[in-house]
């Protein structure tokens, strides 16, 4: 009896719940003699714009000062003072007269750079400029009438679009892989300071770095840059720097020799659950502080304002705001939609250039610190210095400091704040929290 009731109940539920169904017949068709589905026309169009890059680097063997003297020399004198490292990568031609964009990590610190074009020609390349914060670089070869790739607006691509990745994986030669756009606006990967990655499952492997990610019209939508992997090979999670960011950085490097980003002049935080309850809005970026004599102060922005859109485009979080401001560029005039005291208002601003300030700190001898906006990072490390012995590296972003005086972590927004916290301390009296790529590291200084 129980079994009958149970079956009746299931039948009743089945009748009460309906799912959307499409049982329409589909047409299955084998390609005929005259029509074959193929990406070959796209590949033929794009491959002349993609190059292979070979670099040579001289790596010095560094022996710390503490290991000097007759006793240690007998061991260290046997070590080679220098060694040669060779690396392979890819690049994309962006002008007829030889400008090529690639990844910074492909060409950084290279003693020599050699480019092989699609037609098999070999060129020596000159480094024009690098931007470690986006992992982009521009090199140039002495050639004319090259075939530059065509850019498209990367903000228009959508998840699900088909994409082709072209490069030189493992140095085996020109290779094309196919996939889809798996995700957009990946800005919390922790690889670069400025991130807005396109995610794709098109196979990207070592040697593909600097190669092209293109759409089905053969237009550049990104520069292949990184993969998430435990094995070192492709796991279907690859990242490309969007073409809009590439265009801005490459143009700036070619024109100015450096990247001049835009600067608004605010300290910000994301809208979390507690702020949502307090302010009555669940998106945008909260302004915690407005810096004096900046674009923000001149525009009339105030602490407590929430920026919800720039030039009509929604701002979802702090990383999104930082990217938009930086890559609009200095002197750009922008329109801000702001939520203030329960109402939306519109403000106009003219961005200033993001200036890098350089300085040194007593407890970090041998390290040069740089400040861009409210970010402090290490821009240079002297060999055999205390900073190097502490394990610090160029590019480390300083997040916070804890000292014997504060007894708690204090976030760092300027070199001035850092010097104030470390004033009067001796070696070993402070802890430094840094971000290196996707790692958080604590070091005693």
């Amino acid at each position: 009896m129980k079994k009958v009731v149970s079956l009746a109940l299931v039948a009743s539920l089945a009748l009460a719940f309906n799912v959307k169904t499409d049982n329409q017949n589909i047409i299955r068709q084998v390609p005929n003699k005259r029509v074959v589905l193929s990406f070959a026309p796209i590949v033929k169009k794009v491959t002349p714009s993609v190059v292979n890059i070979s670099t040579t680097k001289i790596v010095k063997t560094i022996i710390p000062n503490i290991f000097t003297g007759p006793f240690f020399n007998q061991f260290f004198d046997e070590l080679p003072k220098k060694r040669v490292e060779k690396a392979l990568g890819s690049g994309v031609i962006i002008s007829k007269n030889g400008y090529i964009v690639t990844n910074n990590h492909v060409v950084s610190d290279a003693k020599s750079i050699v480019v092989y074009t699609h037609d098999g020609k070999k060129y020596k390349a000159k480094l024009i400029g690098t931007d470690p914060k986006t992992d982009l670089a521009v090199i140039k070869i002495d050639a004319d009438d090259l075939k530059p790739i065509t850019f498209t607006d990367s903000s228009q691509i959508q998840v699900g679009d088909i994409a082709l990745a072209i490069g030189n994986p493992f140095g085996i030669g020109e290779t094309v892989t196919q996939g889809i756009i798996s995700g957009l606006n990946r800005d919390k990967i922790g690889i670069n300071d400025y991130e807005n990655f396109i995610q794709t499952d098109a196979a990207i492997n070592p040697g593909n770095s600097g190669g092209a990610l293109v759409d089905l019209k053969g237009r550049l939508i990104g520069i292949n840059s990184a993969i998430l992997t435990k094995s070192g090979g492709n796991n279907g999670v690859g990242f490309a720097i969007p073409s809009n960011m590439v265009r801005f950085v490459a143009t700036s490097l070619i024109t100015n020799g450096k990247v001049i980003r835009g600067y608004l002049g605010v300290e910000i935080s994301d809208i979390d659950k507690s702020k949502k309850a307090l302010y009555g809005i669940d998106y945008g970026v909260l302004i915690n502080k407005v810096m004096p004599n900046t674009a923000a102060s001149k525009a009339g922005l105030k602490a407590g304002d929430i920026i919800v859109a720039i030039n009509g485009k929604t701002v979802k979080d702090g990383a999104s705001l930082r990217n938009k401001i930086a890559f609009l560029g200095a002197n750009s005039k922008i329109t801000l939609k702001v939520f203030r005291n329960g109402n939306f208002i519109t403000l106009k601003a003219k961005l200033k250039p993001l200036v890098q300030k350089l300085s040194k700190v007593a407890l970090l001898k041998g390290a040069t610190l740089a400040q861009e906006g409210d970010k402090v990072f290490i821009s240079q490390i002297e060999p055999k210095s205390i900073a190097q012995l502490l394990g610090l590296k160029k590019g480390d972003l300083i997040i916070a400091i804890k000292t014997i005086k504060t007894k708690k972590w204090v976030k760092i927004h300027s070199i001035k704040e850092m010097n104030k916290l470390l004033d009067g301390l001796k070696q070993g009296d402070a802890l430094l929290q840094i971000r290196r790529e996707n790692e958080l590291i604590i070091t005693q200084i």
Side-chain angles (χ1 to χ4, degrees):
M1 183 66 183
K2 286 183 180 179
K3 187 174 182 181
V4 173
V5 172
S6 176
L7 289 172
L9 179 62
V10 171
S12 174
L13 287 172
L15 291 171
F17 180 73
N18 294 313
V19 295
K20 188 176 181 180
T21 306
D22 181 359
N23 293 323
Q24 186 178 0
N25 289 332
I26 61 172
I27 299 173
R28 294 177 175 87
Q29 182 176 340
V30 176
N32 57 43
K33 292 180 181 181
R34 297 186 61 83
V35 178
V36 176
L37 301 179
S38 173
F39 297 123
I42 306 161
V43 173
K44 186 177 180 180
K45 174 184 176 182
V46 175
T47 48
S49 302
V50 182
V51 301
N52 297 340
I53 298 174
S54 175
T55 63
T56 302
K57 301 180 183 182
I58 306 298
V59 181
K60 295 181 180 180
T61 301
I62 298 170
I63 302 170
N65 283 328
I66 59 173
F67 297 120
T68 57
F71 175 76
F72 292 108
N73 287 344
Q74 63 181 312
F75 301 104
F76 290 117
D77 281 349
E78 297 177 4
L79 294 175
K81 298 298 184 290
K82 296 179 181 179
R83 69 180 190 275
V84 176
E85 284 188 357
K86 293 188 176 182
L88 298 171
S90 307
V92 179
I93 298 169
I94 57 173
S95 75
K96 286 185 177 182
N97 62 339
Y99 284 106
I100 297 167
V101 68
T102 184
N103 285 135
N104 174 64
H105 73 260
V106 171
V107 296
S108 62
D109 302 321
K111 185 74 174 177
S112 67
I113 305 170
V114 177
V115 168
Y116 298 89
T117 53
H118 175 71
D119 56 7
K121 292 181 180 179
K122 177 181 176 182
Y123 298 89
K124 285 187 177 180
K126 176 185 176 183
L127 182 63
I128 299 301
T130 65
D131 185 39
K133 293 183 178 302
T134 55
D135 193 27
L136 288 169
V138 174
I139 59 177
K140 190 178 187 303
I141 60 176
D142 187 11
D144 293 312
D145 204 27
L146 296 173
K147 186 176 180 182
I149 202 159
T150 300
F151 281 69
T152 192
D153 181 359
S154 54
S155 70
Q156 299 301 311
I157 63 175
Q158 297 181 20
V159 173
D161 287 353
I162 294 175
L164 304 180
I166 305 172
N168 179 31
F170 303 107
I172 61 174
E174 193 172 79
T175 301
V176 182
T177 56
Q178 175 260 325
I180 64 168
I181 303 302
S182 310
L184 296 170
N185 305 314
R186 301 300 196 211
D187 54 19
K188 294 179 177 64
I189 306 301
I191 301 171
N192 301 330
D193 287 348
Y194 290 94
E195 296 180 336
N196 191 26
F197 287 120
I198 299 167
Q199 182 183 331
T200 180
D201 68 346
I204 297 174
N205 289 291
N208 271 120
S209 290
L213 187 71
V214 301
D215 65 10
L216 290 190
K217 293 183 72 175
R219 303 174 301 180
L220 186 74
I221 58 177
I223 293 293
N224 300 322
S225 182
I227 56 175
L228 279 184
T229 176
K230 292 183 179 179
S231 64
N234 172 59
N235 284 339
V237 184
F239 298 103
I241 302 166
S243 59
N244 289 358
M245 187 180 290
V246 175
R247 184 192 292 112
F248 176 90
V249 171
T251 301
S252 195
L253 288 174
I254 293 168
T255 306
N256 306 304
K258 60 181 180 180
V259 179
I260 304 174
R261 297 180 176 86
Y263 177 54
L264 185 59
V266 291
E267 289 184 10
I268 57 176
S269 59
D270 292 339
I271 302 294
D272 55 21
K273 289 183 179 179
S274 63
K275 293 186 180 71
K276 176 184 174 181
L278 286 169
Y279 291 94
I281 191 170
D282 61 358
Y283 69 103
V285 178
L286 175 66
I287 297 177
N288 299 321
K289 182 180 178 180
V290 176
M291 307 298 184
N293 301 315
T294 60
S297 64
K298 291 182 179 179
L301 284 168
K302 299 178 180 179
D305 285 349
I306 296 174
I307 299 175
V308 297
I310 298 176
N311 292 342
K313 295 184 178 180
T314 301
V315 173
K316 62 173 185 174
D317 55 26
S320 169
L321 175 67
R322 188 167 177 253
N323 280 331
K324 289 178 187 295
I325 293 297
F327 296 105
L328 281 168
N331 300 315
S332 293
K333 294 180 180 179
I334 63 171
T335 301
L336 298 167
K337 185 178 180 181
V338 176
F339 186 71
R340 178 186 290 173
N341 298 327
N343 298 306
F344 290 101
I345 63 171
T346 300
L347 298 174
K348 304 283 186 179
K350 183 179 180 181
L351 300 179
K352 290 189 174 184
L354 181 57
V355 179
Q356 188 179 99
K357 301 175 184 177
L358 300 178
S359 185
K360 294 183 181 292
V361 174
L363 289 186
L364 296 177
K365 291 180 180 177
T368 300
L369 301 184
Q371 180 184 336
E372 286 191 358
D374 60 351
K375 304 291 181 183
V376 177
F377 59 93
I378 297 173
S379 66
Q380 199 66 45
I381 294 284
E382 295 175 11
K384 302 182 182 180
S385 64
I386 288 176
Q388 187 181 64
L389 290 175
L390 290 171
L392 299 176
K393 294 184 178 181
K394 180 180 177 180
D396 285 349
L397 180 67
I398 298 171
I399 304 294
I401 289 177
K402 183 178 182 180
T403 74
I404 57 172
K405 292 180 181 179
T406 64
K407 301 188 185 305
K408 64 178 182 180
W409 288 105
V410 178
K411 289 187 177 181
I412 298 300
H413 299 291
S414 69
I415 295 174
K416 184 178 179 180
E417 286 178 351
M418 191 170 173
N419 275 318
K420 188 176 179 181
L421 285 168
L422 298 179
D423 185 41
L425 300 183
K426 61 181 185 295
Q427 214 75 42
D429 284 351
L431 294 174
L432 199 65
Q433 187 183 85
I434 60 175
R435 192 189 82 188
R436 180 181 300 156
E437 296 180 348
N438 60 344
E439 293 181 296
L440 275 179
I441 300 169
I442 294 176
T443 302
Q444 188 174 8
I445 61 173

